[in-house]
Every structure is written in structure tokens, then in C-alpha cells.
Amino acid sequence: GKGIAVFTSGGDSQGMNAAVRAVVRMGIYLGCKVYFIKEGYQGMVDGGANIVEANWASVSSIIHLGGTVIGSARCKEFRERDGRLKAAKNLIGRGITNLVVIGGDGSLTGANLFRQEWSSLLDELLKNGDITKEQRSKYKILNIAGLVGSIDNDFCGTDMTIGTDSALHRIIEATDAIVSTAYSHQRTFIMEVMGRHCGYLSVVSALTSEADFVFCPESPPPEDWEKRLCEKLEQERTAGQRLNIIIVAEGAIDRNGKPITAEQVKKVVVDNLQQDTRITVLGHVQRGGSPSAFDRILGCRMGAEAVMALMEATETTEPCVISLDGNQAVRLPLMECVERTQAVAKAMADKNWDYAVELRGKS
Ligand code: F6P
């Protein structure tokens, strides 16, 4: 059977375990030898006990767990060719030439580079006497299937990334709790939510929690936002509302690209309206805890499809990313999706806000 390895990389997200489980079980079902690589790319570079064969039972009772049971890391060494050479040696040693990488765009880009260099890495290993001629020819192709695990929903090409739905549930639970205490005291609350460069969590949580105002990275507010914010809050209070909720994405910026922080928004509200105002930073609570049913199923479907893609790969098959498109699991060219994702970042860096929003809408 083929040698497949699965690993999780970058920030964890709920539903990664469901995906790992599906890869292991679908792989075993199809007669493959399936390996875990623990601690992401770091484990691949370090080898040894970090790369272990999985069996059917080793993924029992993990579907309901948050985080990633096989660990994740941000690995500097893999960014250097030397690190990738060590990783290649460790994979060849176990007959692994199929990888399922579960991570964000950085992790997927790293996998693509690894695949592009594979041939020259093997040549170097052969030259150094680290692999045999037989291994060089037997393992000449590295196949890659990527799954996007991130609470941010920041990857172009898939409707939802694994973890986003659970993070939203967590945010909504928290905003509902805040609303009840805010109501009692007629307070204004500023909730900071995650999402780094992507406004999905902030915008969807604002819509679903009846927030009065939202600050998100791709669509900075107009120059006179302070005035508009105060007018809006005042208007709601005049209409009889006892509280205000403002959602600030951690990566919120103004039209000059300068951060807009929760503290800054609080100061505007307090100075102008003298409202009793508090800040709640949700932080990593959003990324932890058990995955929603949606993320469990998403992880299962994506993981199973990734194994199918690897089984069907030929010498000329390019790395793919498994995406959700209108409730269908589809395979898309990995680099095309990475490039589309990077185009959003570029539009934001260029302060081309309309284009950034347009690109996000298409993703
Ligand atoms: O990309 C996922 C994410 O949770 C972002 O929303 C957040 O900005 C970042 O990771 C936090 O990273 P770390 O856990 O390394 O502090």
C-alpha cells in the first residue's frame, strides 16, 4: 500500500481532529500505511518518534476534541532548504510519498515548495549516500493534498475553512452572555474577536449578535468614523435600546492602514457619549473547545476526499486543496488558491479596499 502521512500545521482549529481521523481511516480502508507526523513541519524535520504509524484505534475518541491531538507548530527550519532536506530523508526512510497537510495558506505554500523541490532534494540525498538508487526511483514523486484548517475563514477557494463555524458559535455564546449583563447596567461593550487579516468572524458575529457597529480589516470605516459611531450609538439609545455592542476585529484598521483598537474605540465612546463602556477580548477561547457538528462533518469529508485525491494522483498531478464549494467537496489547484488568497492581502496592502472586499466576496 501507499505511504500517506498526515500533519497539522500553523494555528490549531476545531475540526482538525475529525480531518486527521478521516485521513487515517480512509487510508487504512484503502490499504495504505498511514502515518502521523507530530508537531507539524517540525516533526517532519526532526523525524524519530515524531513520525509514527497510525492504526484504526489510534484515532478513536478524538472527533469531539478541540485543537489537534497530533500537535502543531510554526517551524522556522522547514523554511530553509536544509530543513526540507532532513524532512525528505525522514519521509523516504518510511516510504512516505503522499502528504495531507492541514493548515493555513503559509503551511500549504510550504508544502507546494517541498513538492517542487522534491526531485532535487532526492538527488542531494542520493549524492550524500542518505538514500539508495532504488529509493530514489521508487519514491520520485511527492503527492500533496491540502486541507484548510483555520478559524479565520481566510482562504480563497473554499466556502468555509475547518474551525470557522465552531469559532463563531463560541463568539455568539460570549456575545449573548455579554448582552444580558450589558442590558442590566445599560452599558456599551466592545468585543474584540479574532480573524487577523480577515473580517469574516467579525462581520458574521456582528450580524448575528445584532451589534451596532463593526470594525474589520478589509473594509475600513470612512474617515469620519468616530462621528458616525457616536451618532449610531446615540440613535439606538434614543430609540429605547439599553445597551450597545461594538465588534472590533483584532486586525481592524483605518483607511490609512493604521490599527483601530478596542481601547481607541472605547475612548471615543467615553469621551463623546460618557457611556459606561467595557472591553471584552475573546482571544483563544474562540479557537478552543469542542468542534461544532458542521466542523466535524467538514473535517471528515475533507479528510476522506484528500485521501481519494492522493490515491488517484499520477506523476503529473499538481498539489490540490480540498475545498467546500456549494456543499460539495472539490479539488482545486493549491497554488491558484494560495495566489488568490495572497491577492486579497495585496489589495489590502495597496489600500484598494473595494477590490479587497470584492475578492473576499468571490472566495
Ligand atoms: O489564524 C488563526 C488565528 O487564531 C488568528 O485569528 C489570530 O490572529 C492568530 O491565529 C493568533 O495566533 P497565535 O495563536 O499564534 O497567537
Side-chain angles (χ1 to χ4, degrees), residues 74-133:
R74 303 189 198 277
C75 175
K76 274 202 193 126
E77 268 182 281
F78 193 79
R79 293 200 195 136
E80 309 296 328
R81 189 182 154 91
D82 221 37
R84 294 193 289 274
L85 193 66
K86 285 186 197 152
K89 184 180 165 201
N90 290 329
L91 296 185
I92 296 286
R94 290 163 179 83
I96 299 167
T97 48
N98 295 278
L99 292 180
V100 180
V101 42
I102 309 174
D105 65 341
S107 310
L108 300 183
T109 308
N112 191 64
L113 177 63
F114 195 37
R115 144 84 181 221
Q116 283 169 350
E117 278 182 353
W118 186 251
S119 206
S120 74
L121 292 172
L122 262 50
D123 285 340
E124 200 170 328
L125 289 174
L126 180 63
K127 205 175 88 200
N128 299 344
D130 288 325
I131 59 171
T132 64
K133 260 191 181 161

Side-chain angles (χ1 to χ4, degrees), residues 10-13 74 149-152 154 193-198 201 250-251 283-284 286-287:
D12 65 353
S13 69
R74 303 189 198 277
S150 164
I151 65 164
D152 298 350
D154 56 351
V193 302
M194 277 188 164
R196 211 163 358 199
H197 310 300
C198 183
L201 290 177
E250 61 176 353
H284 287 78
Q286 297 160 92
R287 231 165 70 185

Side-chain angles (χ1 to χ4, degrees), residues 2 4 98-100 143-145 305-313:
K2 289 191 180 188
I4 298 186
N98 295 278
L99 292 180
V100 180
N143 295 309
I144 306 237
E305 185 63 21
V307 175
M308 299 301 289
L310 292 173
M311 291 300 96
E312 289 165 24

Side-chain angles (χ1 to χ4, degrees), residues 2 4 21-34 56 303 307 311:
K2 289 191 180 188
I4 298 186
R21 173 180 178 271
V23 170
V24 169
R25 293 204 166 167
M26 182 57 110
I28 292 174
Y29 176 72
L30 294 176
C32 305
K33 254 177 180 277
V34 188
W56 196 266
V307 175
M311 291 300 96

